[in-house]
Amino acid sequence: MAGTELMLDLRAMMPTLFPAVYGLLLLIGVPLLRRDDRRWLWYIAVGGMLVSTLVPISLLYTGTAGQGGMEMLRCDPMALWLDVMFAVAGLMALLVIPAYLERVDAYRGEIFPLMFFAVTGMTIMVATENLVMIFIGLEVLSIALYVMTGMVRGQQRSVEAALKYFLLGAFSTALFVYGIALVYGVTGRFDLVGIGGAVISGEVFGMPMLLAGLALIIVAFAFKVGAVPFHFWVPDVYQGAPTPVTAFMAAGTKAAAFGVLLRMLHTGFDGSAEVSSRWVLALSVLAVATMLVGNLLALVQDRLKRLLAYSSVAHAGYLLLGLIAPIEVGAANVLFYLLVYTFMTVGAFVVLSLFQEDGEDADHLSHFSGLFQRRPLLAIAMGVFMLSLTGIPPLGGFVGKYTIFLAAVRSGHVGLAVVMGVAAVIGAAYYLKVIVAMFFRAPERSLVDNLKVPLPAAVAVALAVAGTVVLGVAPSLVLGPLSRVHVGIALLP
């Protein structure tokens, strides 16, 4: 019996344990490899990330759920779905990292273990109901991202982006820790279930202090997702980081942060009308500001990395509406949107990573003029991502926005749904601007003539296109299983 329990615990820990151990092994192996062996290191890293994708999928398929060790890590369906997203984003980024770093003369093997450590931090964040463990996962993720952001040390923009990300990230983490301290001070608990029980029973030592702690926690994660007015770091960091790292950061960090917020708010702070009404109001204000400001600022961008950065801000606003909706529908809608967002955003950044000129990112809109005439398949793929981000059927972005919109209406937040509709219309203007440049303008630069698409990058783009289209044409393949996700509840005791 003890052996069976140990086996179940290890299986519950595998989505976190595997990338952590694999990253450590890679970190040990990097100094031992010669420069000529770097390609083998990449093969090993891609293989490991593929296994990291298959581990949570297998657990979902077999219906395994449980707790891994001292009830600190959970292996429930919500965590497993998010683990799949993290690994898929990491896999697509790994497929284009070597070619990109070689073009900018910044190829370093350390980026591969760092990618696994970042995935490990994300899995810890979404697989626990303990605030201290969430903090640990957040730190593991953040430190890895800080280093990867500044990987191209020969470019001043990359170093500045890493420094800005580090300073603002440290500031938001401090707010999170202070919020944890206040919540613990009034409830005496670090676990979300215990906090939720104290909130429901009213056994807290000061409601204003509890609300202050919750406010600090929300602000900390508003920084992480780039919600307005805590979004100022997003365009500069997205622009300065290596483009494959930006792709991973845009999808993975957002999924991890919203996974934490989804579990934390509805498990720990949804039992009291006084408390829940306050954070619903706060998220409503953040959502409106984020949707409108993100889309309006994206309108005036002519660099695609900055355009997609403000687009990421706007999509954070849409996802905030999913948090406000009742958990019965909100959880499935948020997870589905995050999955779609992973495919279409990472795919768009993968295409951007192919455009380079003199060792610099060539992401000006003029570089994409007439792309369809020279590279029709690449233009079609980018067009799919832009249309999906716009919310055009029958692509995944449309279904994601529609489910969030419907959840807002059904939960009585009609005004927020109207603002979302207006923001989506504004967003269509800058996404379609990219499509017009690619399909209806003559080429302005000769860059496209020398554009090379390595096979791994082509695989990443094809995977992103397939995910974006399939989730739009057959959303029930994912929405069905997601509708059975219970936030904060493991299926096995």
Side-chain angles (χ1 to χ4, degrees):
M1 177 63 72
T4 303
E5 292 176 354
L6 177 61
M7 181 184 68
L8 288 175
D9 283 345
L10 287 177
R11 291 192 68 183
M13 294 175 67
M14 282 306 293
T16 298
L17 197 60
F18 180 82
V21 174
Y22 208 86
L24 287 173
L25 293 176
L26 285 176
L27 189 63
I28 295 171
V30 166
L32 303 178
L33 293 175
R34 298 174 301 177
R35 185 177 179 87
D36 296 338
D37 296 330
R38 293 184 306 183
R39 182 168 294 276
W40 287 106
L41 181 63
W42 175 72
Y43 285 136
I44 294 170
V46 170
M49 196 62 75
L50 184 60
V51 175
S52 296
T53 308
L54 296 177
V55 166
I57 291 177
S58 66
L59 294 176
L60 280 169
Y61 179 76
T62 58
T64 299
Q67 297 174 175
M70 298 178 64
E71 301 185 359
M72 286 293 191
L73 291 177
R74 287 192 174 274
C75 182
D76 58 10
M78 174 183 148
L80 293 175
W81 276 105
L82 288 166
D83 292 340
V84 173
M85 298 180 208
F86 305 149
V88 167
L91 179 62
M92 288 192 287
L94 281 177
L95 289 174
V96 294
I97 276 177
Y100 179 91
L101 293 182
E102 285 179 356
R103 290 197 299 269
V104 298
D105 193 25
Y107 192 106
R108 293 181 178 85
E110 299 91 325
I111 195 168
F112 300 120
L114 286 171
M115 186 70 74
F116 280 91
F117 293 149
V119 171
T120 300
M122 293 174 182
T123 60
I124 293 173
M125 289 172 64
V126 301
T128 183
E129 291 183 344
N130 188 285
L131 292 176
V132 175
M133 284 295 292
I134 293 174
F135 167 72
I136 292 173
L138 180 61
E139 284 301 284
V140 173
L141 165 64
S142 299
I143 292 172
L145 286 179
Y146 299 153
V147 179
M148 287 193 291
T149 300
M151 188 63 66
V152 187
R153 287 182 284 185
Q155 294 181 6
Q156 181 179 356
R157 185 172 56 204
S158 180
V159 177
E160 289 178 354
L163 182 59
K164 178 174 288 189
Y165 195 21
F166 168 72
L167 292 175
L168 291 178
F171 177 68
S172 65
T173 301
L175 292 178
F176 181 48
V177 174
Y178 194 13
I180 292 175
L182 292 179
V183 171
Y184 178 76
V186 297
T187 63
R189 303 292 293 266
F190 284 120
D191 61 299
L192 294 176
V193 174
I195 293 170
V199 171
I200 292 174
S201 64
E203 297 177 357
V204 294
F205 297 103
M207 188 60 68
M209 188 177 293
L210 176 70
L211 294 175
L214 178 57
L216 289 173
I217 292 173
I218 291 176
V219 169
F221 280 96
F223 269 106
K224 296 301 180 184
V225 302
V228 175
F230 312 104
H231 67 291
F232 296 106
W233 63 272
V234 176
D236 293 334
V237 173
Y238 278 32
Q239 183 72 49
T243 306
V245 175
T246 303
F248 175 70
M249 183 194 312
T253 305
K254 192 172 263 67
F258 274 103
V260 170
L261 285 173
L262 191 63
R263 191 188 298 276
M264 181 177 60
L265 293 175
H266 291 281
T267 301
F269 300 96
D270 200 26
S272 165
E274 180 181 359
V275 175
S276 61
S277 63
R278 298 294 180 87
W279 64 256
V280 166
L281 176 61
L283 292 187
S284 299
V285 174
L286 284 176
V288 171
T290 303
M291 288 186 291
L292 294 178
V293 173
N295 281 307
L296 289 172
L297 291 178
L299 280 174
V300 298
Q301 305 301 319
D302 54 11
R303 301 291 296 268
L304 263 64
K305 287 183 77 172
R306 297 185 74 86
L307 184 148
L308 289 176
Y310 285 113
S311 165
S312 172
V313 171
H315 284 273
Y318 305 147
L319 285 162
L320 286 172
L321 294 188
L323 295 180
I324 296 171
I327 193 60
E328 294 78 12
V329 293
N333 295 338
V334 168
L335 293 177
F336 180 83
Y337 200 107
L338 287 170
L339 183 59
V340 174
Y341 184 80
T342 297
F343 283 114
M344 58 190 182
T345 299
V346 175
F349 278 113
V350 167
V351 174
L352 283 181
S353 71
L354 302 174
F355 288 76
Q356 292 232 307
E357 191 172 43
D358 299 328
E360 297 283 344
D361 292 331
D363 63 330
H364 195 279
L365 189 60
S366 61
H367 290 110
F368 290 78
S369 297
L371 181 62
F372 180 71
Q373 302 174 26
R374 309 292 180 88
R375 294 289 190 275
L377 293 180
L378 199 61
I380 290 172
M382 191 65 168
V384 168
F385 302 138
M386 292 296 105
L387 290 175
S388 183
L389 287 165
T390 304
I392 302 297
L395 300 174
F398 166 76
V399 180
K401 286 184 178 179
Y402 176 75
T403 56
I404 294 289
F405 180 87
L406 199 60
V409 172
R410 289 179 174 176
S411 60
H413 298 97
V414 179
L416 295 177
V418 171
V419 174
M420 179 182 178
V422 173
V425 172
I426 297 173
Y430 57 84
Y431 293 128
L432 295 178
K433 180 172 65 174
V434 180
I435 294 177
V436 169
M438 292 190 299
F439 289 88
F440 302 106
R441 288 182 184 170
E444 296 181 16
R445 304 282 183 95
S446 60
L447 177 66
V448 180
D449 296 333
N450 302 320
L451 186 67
K452 295 181 179 179
V453 184
L455 179 59
V459 172
V461 172
L463 177 61
V465 170
T468 303
V469 173
V470 170
L471 290 174
V473 175
S476 58
L477 294 175
V478 174
L479 275 174
L482 285 178
S483 64
R484 297 188 290 272
V485 169
H486 300 281
V487 174
I489 300 175
L491 299 184
L492 293 181

